[in-house]
Amino acid sequence: MSEKSGSWISRMSPRGFELLCVVMLGFGHLCIMTGCDSQAFILESVIHSIHERDPGRINSHAGYYGQATCYLAFVITCLVSPSILYATSAKTTLFIASVCFTSFPLGFLYTNQYYYFFSAALNGVGFALYYTGNGGYLTSHSTRNTIESNVSISWAIGSSCMIVGAGIIALITYLTAGQAPATMDILNSTLNSTVSAQHFERRFSDMEIYLLFSVFALISFIGNVTFLLMPSSDIDNCIESSQKTVAFRDGIHLMYRAFRSPKMFILIPMFMLTGVHTSFWVSIYPTTLTFNSHLAKMIYLPAIYSLGVGLGETIMGMLISFCSKRIPNFGMRPTMFIGCFLTIMYCGLIVISTPASSPMAPTSEKPLLFQPTRLLVFVIALIGGMSDCCLCSVRSVICAINMPNRRDQAFSVSKFYQSIGTCVVFFISPFLNIYYYTIGIPILCVIASFCFFFETRRIKRMEKTMTNMELDQAEQRKKSSKYETLDEEF
């Protein structure tokens, strides 16, 4: 640690300083993702509500298309984000990314189709910069022995954003849906009906939208401040120093080499799985809850779902961190297996309780077996959050150790393929029923698991070889030192 970091920080133990950095990184993640993830749960439904009141303002499926635009910008920015990291620093990259995130919810204070798609693209730029900066910051503030634990701690704190988002959605729904009479009397003149008189799909009033996105923008601004205040000095024996000596042009060349690497090719199914799964749990399944006319009176379902996902992410993050300290390489194969198993379970519960056409448009169609209840939605969300935490944690760990000389590029390549999967799914979502997701994702899980297990076997052999070489070198140094001592005695 550098003395310029501050006297109280310099007096901290190395592990204490690591935890401070990881916790602040996780808290910044929590702030900027509170709006990003929580608004994604309801975005298609919010846009649909705005379109119904004013068809000329915005397209009815702009929720899906806006997120597709976001991930398209994400794909493009991933190609240059490591070079931007080299030109600045992990801390600066994280701050720029957080500003991009803040621009999106501000657009809902007065919805305009042009600004909406522009800010969605800017949000995609923020995603690419954030995850590159996040990987760079973690590797410069973690050792090989602590990376699995640090990734899980940071992810668990950051994923609490869904719990915070659940509280925000529940409170504002309570204030704007007539459950608080005194407040309702004050706001009544400015509100549209949150649930239509005919009990069609769940609808969002103008006031509800305004309040929700104002709070999301405010919390995102707190994330901007957090990233500005984070320590920037590296720890001793970190995986990779933040002091980069690579020129922008050389960074582009390294990115090209990372794309060509067989180590990345074999992990493409895993990266694609993360992207397709993300689009499903973040937006498509939550949209089915608000498009299902039989659930129109359950106005707190988005909050319940957000709470379940947040708890699932946090619990699994803590569990992975706990087990990683006690079981060698728990953050690799065991976590991948658990993540795929939970993902398949998640899809199974959804397919039997969700109307087939509900991802595409409001419907009164009945599901395969039974309608979801509040408890079932919470359980599905809990499992979905746990599975996402496993998949994202595994991706971060494998990228940190798979390409020692091109770690920043490895993170960007993984997000490139992930965002392609997410982008494609959002573009075609208006035309896919629920069975495409609940059958396709489990198949992708099986393929991704085989590829991941093959690559981790190669990494294990590589690390064993490096360990043996280090032991041999240590033995040679020991013998050399012994001979030098004997020479001095004679």
Side-chain angles (χ1 to χ4, degrees):
M1 280 179 288
S2 168
E3 292 184 4
K4 65 181 181 181
S5 300
S7 58
W8 68 276
I9 291 181
S10 62
R11 289 196 296 270
M12 296 179 69
S13 66
R15 184 56 181 158
F17 180 70
E18 268 190 65
L19 290 175
L20 171 67
C21 297
V22 169
V23 168
M24 290 190 72
L25 179 64
F27 181 74
H29 182 158
L30 182 154
C31 291
I32 62 174
M33 292 296 180
T34 291
C36 187
D37 286 341
S38 298
Q39 70 200 10
F41 294 152
I42 58 174
L43 189 58
E44 176 66 10
S45 303
V46 165
I47 294 294
H48 195 81
S49 298
I50 295 172
H51 171 79
E52 286 191 333
R53 289 192 289 272
D54 187 356
R57 182 185 289 190
I58 198 162
N59 183 278
S60 62
H61 285 300
Y64 285 149
Y65 293 143
Q67 291 181 85
T69 301
C70 169
Y71 283 94
L72 180 60
F74 190 174
V75 169
I76 296 170
T77 310
C78 279
L79 298 174
V80 297
S81 55
S83 298
I84 294 174
L85 177 64
Y86 295 152
T88 56
S89 66
K91 178 178 175 178
T92 303
T93 304
L94 289 169
F95 174 72
I96 295 171
S98 69
V99 173
C100 293
F101 278 106
T102 306
S103 69
F104 187 73
L106 290 174
F108 284 86
L109 303 186
Y110 180 78
T111 308
N112 176 278
Q113 183 156 273
Y114 299 105
Y115 181 81
Y116 168 75
F117 283 105
F118 169 75
S119 62
L122 203 58
N123 212 27
V125 173
F127 264 118
L129 294 180
Y130 173 74
Y131 284 113
T132 300
N134 180 287
Y137 196 80
L138 276 172
T139 52
S140 64
H141 292 84
S142 303
T143 66
R144 177 62 184 90
N145 294 328
T146 62
I147 181 64
E148 294 178 19
S149 176
N150 288 350
V151 166
S152 299
I153 292 171
S154 174
W155 192 259
I157 296 172
S159 297
S160 301
C161 64
M162 264 82 76
I163 300 175
V164 176
I168 293 170
I169 294 172
L171 176 62
I172 292 177
T173 299
Y174 176 80
L175 293 175
T176 59
Q179 303 301 315
T183 307
M184 190 63 184
D185 291 339
I186 298 172
L187 300 177
N188 191 48
S189 61
T190 59
L191 296 180
N192 307 114
S193 176
T194 301
V195 182
S196 65
Q198 293 81 14
H199 300 299
F200 291 155
E201 79 279 2
R202 165 80 157 93
R203 294 179 183 172
F204 292 82
S205 69
D206 289 335
M207 180 60 73
E208 189 174 6
I209 294 168
Y210 183 87
L211 291 176
L212 277 169
F213 287 89
S214 294
V215 176
F216 291 153
L218 176 62
I219 294 177
S220 185
F221 176 75
I222 295 173
N224 302 164
V225 177
T226 301
F227 288 128
L228 273 178
L229 298 178
M230 284 197 311
S232 57
S233 55
D234 298 350
I235 65 164
D236 295 332
N237 300 316
C238 62
I239 291 179
E240 186 168 7
S241 173
S242 63
Q243 303 301 316
K244 310 294 185 183
T245 57
V246 182
F248 186 91
R249 182 178 177 181
D250 294 333
I252 297 294
H253 179 66
L254 287 173
M255 190 71 184
Y256 171 71
R257 290 178 59 192
F259 267 108
R260 294 180 55 192
S261 172
K263 300 175 185 178
M264 290 288 103
F265 272 126
I266 197 169
L267 294 173
I268 288 176
M270 176 192 166
F271 302 147
M272 296 288 286
L273 169 64
T274 309
V276 174
H277 183 240
T278 296
S279 62
F280 187 56
W281 73 261
V282 162
S283 183
I284 294 163
Y285 177 65
T287 297
T288 68
L289 300 176
T290 51
F291 275 179
N292 186 345
S293 63
H294 298 283
L295 307 179
K297 292 184 179 180
M298 298 185 187
I299 59 177
Y300 292 101
L301 280 184
I304 292 171
Y305 182 79
S306 182
L307 176 64
V309 171
L311 285 174
E313 296 266 14
T314 303
I315 290 170
M316 183 53 69
M318 295 171 64
L319 180 63
I320 294 172
S321 178
F322 176 82
C323 293
S324 294
K325 297 175 183 177
R326 291 158 178 79
I327 304 173
N329 295 317
F330 181 83
M332 299 282 276
R333 286 187 178 183
T335 301
M336 182 65 178
F337 175 79
I338 294 170
C340 288
F341 175 77
L342 291 174
T343 300
I344 294 170
M345 184 188 299
Y346 173 77
C347 291
L349 290 174
I350 289 174
V351 74
I352 62 176
S353 62
T354 305
S357 61
S358 56
M360 301 181 287
T363 181
S364 58
E365 179 186 357
K366 292 184 179 180
L368 197 61
L369 293 183
F370 48 79
Q371 294 287 355
T373 62
R374 293 178 181 86
L375 178 60
L376 180 61
V377 169
F378 179 79
V379 171
I380 289 173
L382 190 72
I383 295 172
M386 294 173 76
S387 65
D388 180 67
C389 181
C390 289
L391 296 178
C392 291
S393 178
V394 165
R395 186 206 62 232
S396 296
V397 172
I398 195 77
C399 288
I401 64 178
N402 194 32
M403 301 182 73
N405 297 323
R406 296 189 294 274
R407 288 191 176 93
D408 297 325
Q409 286 74 24
F411 279 110
S412 288
V413 169
S414 75
K415 301 307 294 185
F416 177 85
Y417 289 114
Q418 176 182 336
S419 55
I420 283 180
T422 307
C423 178
V424 170
V425 169
F426 276 133
F427 268 122
I428 62 178
S429 287
F431 314 104
L432 300 183
N433 64 36
I434 199 68
Y435 299 118
Y436 284 95
Y437 306 105
T438 52
I439 295 174
I441 292 175
I443 292 174
L444 193 52
C445 275
V446 175
I447 297 171
S449 295
F450 276 111
C451 295
F452 178 80
F453 286 359
F454 181 85
E455 181 60 14
T456 51
R457 184 173 62 181
R458 186 198 64 80
I459 292 173
K460 191 173 182 180
R461 288 200 304 265
M462 179 188 71
E463 290 187 334
K464 185 177 180 180
T465 301
M466 292 177 64
T467 300
N468 290 337
M469 289 177 62
E470 290 173 357
L471 290 174
D472 289 342
Q473 290 173 358
E475 186 66 25
Q476 290 291 339
R477 287 194 297 268
K478 185 177 179 181
K479 288 181 179 179
S480 176
S481 176
K482 180 180 179 181
Y483 291 142
E484 289 175 0
T485 303
L486 290 173
D487 286 342
E488 290 175 1
E489 290 177 355
F490 285 106

